[in-house]
Amino acid sequence: MSIKFSIIIATYNSDKTLKKTLESLLNQTHTNFEVIVIDGFSKDGTLKIIKSFEEEFKSRNIPFIWISEKDSGIYDAWNKGLKKVSSQWISFLGSDDTYYPDALETYCTEINKNSGINYICSNVEYVDSNNKILKILGNPFSYKQMIRYMDIAHVGSFHNIELFRLYGNFDTTYKIVGDYDFFMKCGEDIKPAYFEKITARMLNTGVSNDDFNKALKEVVLIQKKYKKTTFFQIYFEYYFAILRISRNRIITTFKDKI
């Protein structure tokens, strides 16, 4: 059975990367999907790129929907996109990420093989600006693991629309880890599937230490809200994450110098 997908892309001043993202969608072997671009009123050449792809998608009978207006962040943009979807399966593709040509075809095959699921994820490549693979991201979804920290590759995920109908959209209170809040909210009602194939490339955009700290603090707030673990465990994971990130950065810096 051919499955229709909705791909939501949030953009803001993304003119350096968006072209490759949209080209990766035009190159899909599975063409039963729609693209929804929610732009946050970009000031660079993002809108010019978006408009330049309208005819290309139209010529291939792929719905291409976009708006450009101010928003309060990525989760506000995703929520706007969710109001425009017309399919059962939804992904959130970064404006600097790309799909492999057979990604959607593979998802279609895997969803058809796994009846009763409402979420599916795969592996993705985490790459630098030179397309050098830094690591492979991805794990099977486990709510027991999610309670501690998020270890799945969200770029390599598709969500059934029923999850949003049951639990609402993303909480815009969070600016960095609102997807983690959504998974915690859905809890054990997520019926997952996973396959190891790499479906996408996720660009390392050079997240700053300040961004990491903000993300970890949001994680702590979310874990306190859902009360699925003890305060000791929450703060143990928090400080352990800081140490792990610091260690990885030191190793990366050392490798770059030799």
Side-chain angles (χ1 to χ4, degrees), residues 21-37:
T21 300
L22 295 176
E23 285 175 343
S24 78
L25 292 172
L26 282 172
N27 291 333
Q28 290 300 302
T29 55
H30 177 97
T31 58
N32 189 11
F33 67 96
E34 63 185 2
V35 180
I36 301 168
V37 181

Side-chain angles (χ1 to χ4, degrees), residues 121-125 136-139 153 194-200:
C121 58
S122 68
N123 289 348
V124 305
E125 292 171 340
I136 304 299
L137 303 175
N139 283 295
Y194 163 77
F195 57 97
E196 290 186 349
K197 185 172 180 176
I198 294 169
T199 58

Side-chain angles (χ1 to χ4, degrees), residues 26-118:
L26 282 172
N27 291 333
Q28 290 300 302
T29 55
H30 177 97
T31 58
N32 189 11
F33 67 96
E34 63 185 2
V35 180
I36 301 168
V37 181
I38 309 296
D39 180 67
F41 205 53
S42 291
K43 305 301 182 185
D44 62 358
T46 299
L47 283 183
K48 184 178 179 181
I49 292 171
I50 292 171
K51 292 175 182 178
S52 73
F53 275 86
E54 284 186 291
E55 284 303 315
E56 290 192 70
F57 279 101
K58 183 178 179 181
S59 68
R60 303 188 194 194
N61 294 315
I62 299 171
F64 185 73
I65 304 154
W66 66 272
I67 61 170
S68 182
E69 61 187 27
K70 289 184 178 181
D71 57 48
S72 62
I74 188 170
Y75 301 110
D76 186 23
W78 285 3
N79 287 343
K80 290 178 181 180
L82 285 168
K83 293 178 181 178
K84 297 182 179 298
V85 301
S86 63
S87 71
Q88 288 291 111
W89 288 95
I90 305 159
S91 77
F92 302 90
L93 186 65
S95 61
D96 49 7
D97 303 325
T98 56
Y99 280 139
Y100 275 99
D102 63 346
L104 298 186
E105 184 178 351
T106 304
Y107 277 107
C108 182
T109 299
E110 294 295 327
I111 290 170
N112 282 325
K113 281 165 43 178
N114 293 274
S115 62
I117 64 169
N118 54 24

Side-chain angles (χ1 to χ4, degrees), residues 20 23 26 32 41 61 94 106 127 131-132 153 155 164 176 187 200 218 229 242:
K20 286 185 177 179
E23 285 175 343
L26 282 172
N32 189 11
F41 205 53
N61 294 315
T106 304
V127 302
N131 274 326
K132 178 184 176 182
V155 172
F164 298 103
I176 302 177
E218 285 190 2
T229 187
I242 291 175

Side-chain angles (χ1 to χ4, degrees), residues 210-221:
D210 189 46
D211 289 329
F212 276 123
N213 289 333
K214 287 178 181 177
L216 291 173
K217 287 176 181 177
E218 285 190 2
V219 168
V220 168
L221 291 174

